[in-house]
Amino acid sequence: MAVHEVLAAVLQVRAGSLQVLLWQRALAPDAGRWSLPGGKLRPDEDVETSIRRQLAEKVDVRQLTHVEQLAVFSAPDRVPGARVVATAFLGLVPCDVDPALPEDTAWHPVEALPETAFDHDVIVPRARDRLRAKLSYTNLGFALAGPEFTVSTLRELYSAALGYKVSATNLQRVLSRRGLLEPTGSTAPPGPSGGRPAALFRFTARGLQVTDPFAVFRPPAHNRPARSARWP
Amino acid sequence: MAVHEVLAAVLQVRAGSLQVLLWQRALAPDAGRWSLPGGKLRPDEDVETSIRRQLAEKVDVRQLTHVEQLAVFSAPDRVPGARVVATAFLGLVPCDVDPALPEDTAWHPVEALPETAFDHDVIVPRARDRLRAKLSYTNLGFALAGPEFTVSTLRELYSAALGYKVSATNLQRVLSRRGLLEPTGSTAPPGPSGGRPAALFRFTARGLQVTDPFAVFRPPAHNRPARSARWP
DNA sequence: CCAAAAGTGTTGGAGTTACACCCATGG
DNA sequence: CCATGGGTGTAACTCCAACACTTTTGG
């Protein structure tokens, strides 16, 4: 008989850094502090439906390219008053959209969070770490990028999300070898200072796919499929 | 205002195969079908405390070497009657213990489940997959093995859990290079048909440690620590 | 022709698989 | 001394990081 709420750390790469969407509480408890968007779970919806509805309603974020569960936060005293159990989500918004936001809502760099309400400061790093891990072994980059992009752009997205410089050279090679990237055939015009025009690419799939499931302990070669469609 | 329950897929390698602990329901709904152990979340405990308590109480499993959250299952109609939201866990029991079980409780191979209650048949494969993934990039093997073991024994555990043959040669090398395994100095007596006595090993740490966090996209070498203590 | 940005070639090394070979023990 | 299981040495392979080099544009 506990209230169940859903919360989302919605992440987007903005201005070269990974940022999270927060709204500032006007009322107690924790008035003035910043809070993850979300709200109560309704009786007729599951948690993912609920967080998608609440994000659409409250902060007008509809262009989520990826949503996944992070964890349940259930310490009995995690919020003051009656107990609330929370299911936390990671949400991703591609870099080519800029949703209209209510007055009290703003993006904040993940590495420089303001004072947050309740246990929300624990949830944001969890979301960031999940994103970083999945960028390495899945095609999750599609959720940060727009439909078409240059390798330079993609490099900036990966660098911002991972927190360190990624080489464009090797990024393109790794993603191409895995079959995640394909050229569109067209090119982007060069900038004002010249330079060779960049080829445009897109992700071959836009749903989450695990491309490198095993760091080690791969199954023996004779009953393992070829590179393109890996186990399992 | 939904009831919240906790459920655990408790896994152990038994008789060469990965098995899960289930109890057979006596009463409706789903009488006769097999169910994951668990129960209602109490107001004064968080979900992990709760699942540990319920496993200790109901099936007398106290020797859990590892417990972690899997996911929330929240479809409004996942159980008949009033709504119940469930937090599912993965639990691991080392191969050297054999807990006393109540009458209605038994181990079942993960690959040959009986008819299960509700959505529990979805939870068990999720637990298995999580275990398989973490065996590759963490030291989670400690949770399947006893305090001391031979490489042959460890090979059987990994083979059963992963579902394919693992070479003892390479298993030892990989785990040793990562610094997860250390020899105890003593040896196990050979079997009835002779053979060289096997050296005994232990895991150097018995808490979960991520040993291989990045499949690719490692940070540049100059700001990356050496092999032993990897990022982050 | 030069600067700038994009893209390719190539080398080297880390980590792993596969397999041949050597070691220690019981009958 | 031979069968049996345990352990080591080593070659080949996959994948990736690093960096030099080439290509294509604007001034």
Side-chain angles (χ1 to χ4, degrees):
Chain A
M1 273 324 144
V3 173
H4 197 105
E5 68 174 357
V6 291
L7 298 170
V10 177
L11 304 183
Q12 184 185 28
V13 175
R14 301 174 68 87
S17 79
L18 187 65
Q19 308 208 5
V20 60
L21 192 62
L22 299 172
W23 64 277
Q24 193 166 25
R25 300 179 62 84
L27 305 176
D30 278 0
R33 309 186 93 164
W34 293 83
S35 184
L36 293 173
K40 285 184 191 161
L41 176 68
R42 286 187 185 164
D44 62 336
E45 59 189 4
D46 64 28
V47 285
E48 182 167 334
T49 306
S50 183
I51 192 63
R52 285 184 181 273
R53 171 183 61 79
Q54 311 226 24
L55 290 176
E57 281 178 7
K58 294 200 185 172
V59 297
D60 193 36
V61 172
R62 290 190 182 79
Q63 304 99 328
L64 289 167
T65 35
H66 181 69
V67 172
E68 77 176 56
Q69 279 189 32
L70 283 175
V72 174
F73 292 83
S74 61
D77 60 347
R78 61 173 285 276
V79 300
R83 184 194 194 156
V84 181
V85 173
T87 299
F89 283 81
L90 161 67
L92 296 176
V93 175
C95 65
D96 63 334
V97 304
D98 191 12
L101 299 180
E103 271 293 319
D104 58 356
T105 305
W107 295 96
H108 293 268
V110 163
E111 302 304 338
L113 288 184
E115 281 219 305
T116 60
F118 315 129
D119 52 0
H120 297 192
D121 56 335
V122 176
I123 298 175
V124 174
R126 291 273 284 256
R128 178 202 60 192
D129 292 346
R130 179 74 65 89
L131 169 62
R132 288 182 175 175
K134 289 211 168 181
L135 282 178
S136 269
Y137 68 91
T138 72
N139 66 343
L140 193 52
F142 81 85
L144 296 175
E148 296 190 357
F149 45 83
T150 66
V151 174
S152 290
T153 305
L154 196 61
R155 187 186 78 89
E156 286 163 21
L157 296 174
Y158 273 76
S159 297
L162 293 173
Y164 53 80
K165 290 290 178 204
V166 173
S167 132
T169 296
N170 295 326
L171 182 65
Q172 179 184 10
R173 258 201 279 255
V174 168
L175 296 183
S176 295
R177 182 179 32 227
R178 293 183 178 178
L180 303 187
L181 233 47
E182 67 186 6
T184 66
S186 51
T187 57
S193 58
R196 175 172 170 176
L200 288 171
F201 290 83
R202 71 170 77 90
F203 278 91
T204 52
R206 293 192 64 81
L208 184 65
Q209 293 182 335
V210 176
T211 58
D212 238 303
F214 295 96
V216 286
F217 303 138
R218 281 178 272 274
H222 43 276
N223 51 323
R224 184 189 341 150
R227 172 79 209 181
S228 54
R230 286 271 288 276
W231 233 72
Chain B
M1 277 319 146
V3 173
H4 197 104
E5 68 174 356
V6 290
L7 298 170
V10 177
L11 304 183
Q12 184 186 29
V13 175
R14 301 175 66 87
S17 80
L18 189 65
Q19 308 209 6
V20 61
L21 191 62
L22 299 172
W23 65 278
Q24 192 166 26
R25 300 179 61 85
L27 305 176
D30 277 2
R33 308 186 93 162
W34 293 83
S35 184
L36 293 173
K40 285 184 189 160
L41 176 68
R42 287 187 185 163
D44 61 336
E45 59 189 4
D46 65 28
V47 286
E48 182 168 333
T49 305
S50 184
I51 192 62
R52 286 184 181 272
R53 171 182 62 79
Q54 312 227 22
L55 290 176
E57 282 176 9
K58 293 199 186 173
V59 297
D60 193 34
V61 173
R62 290 190 183 81
Q63 303 100 330
L64 288 167
T65 34
H66 181 69
V67 171
E68 76 175 58
Q69 279 190 32
L70 284 174
V72 175
F73 292 83
S74 61
D77 59 347
R78 59 173 287 275
V79 300
R83 184 196 194 152
V84 180
V85 173
T87 299
F89 284 81
L90 160 66
L92 296 177
V93 175
C95 65
D96 63 334
V97 303
D98 191 11
L101 299 181
E103 270 295 318
D104 58 355
T105 305
W107 295 96
H108 294 267
V110 163
E111 302 304 339
L113 287 184
E115 282 219 304
T116 60
F118 315 129
D119 53 0
H120 297 192
D121 55 333
V122 176
I123 299 176
V124 175
R126 291 272 285 257
R128 179 202 60 192
D129 292 346
R130 179 74 64 89
L131 170 62
R132 287 182 175 174
K134 289 211 167 181
L135 282 179
S136 269
Y137 68 92
T138 72
N139 65 342
L140 194 51
F142 82 84
L144 296 177
E148 296 189 358
F149 45 83
T150 66
V151 174
S152 290
T153 305
L154 196 62
R155 186 186 79 88
E156 286 164 20
L157 296 175
Y158 272 76
S159 297
L162 292 172
Y164 53 80
K165 292 291 178 203
V166 173
S167 134
T169 296
N170 296 325
L171 182 65
Q172 179 185 8
R173 258 201 280 254
V174 168
L175 296 184
S176 295
R177 183 181 28 231
R178 292 183 177 179
L180 303 186
L181 232 48
E182 67 186 4
T184 68
S186 51
T187 58
S193 57
R196 173 172 169 176
L200 287 172
F201 290 83
R202 71 170 78 91
F203 277 93
T204 52
R206 294 191 65 81
L208 184 65
Q209 294 182 335
V210 176
T211 59
D212 238 301
F214 295 96
V216 286
F217 302 139
R218 280 180 274 274
H222 41 276
N223 49 322
R224 185 190 339 149
R227 172 78 210 180
S228 54
R230 286 273 287 276
W231 233 71

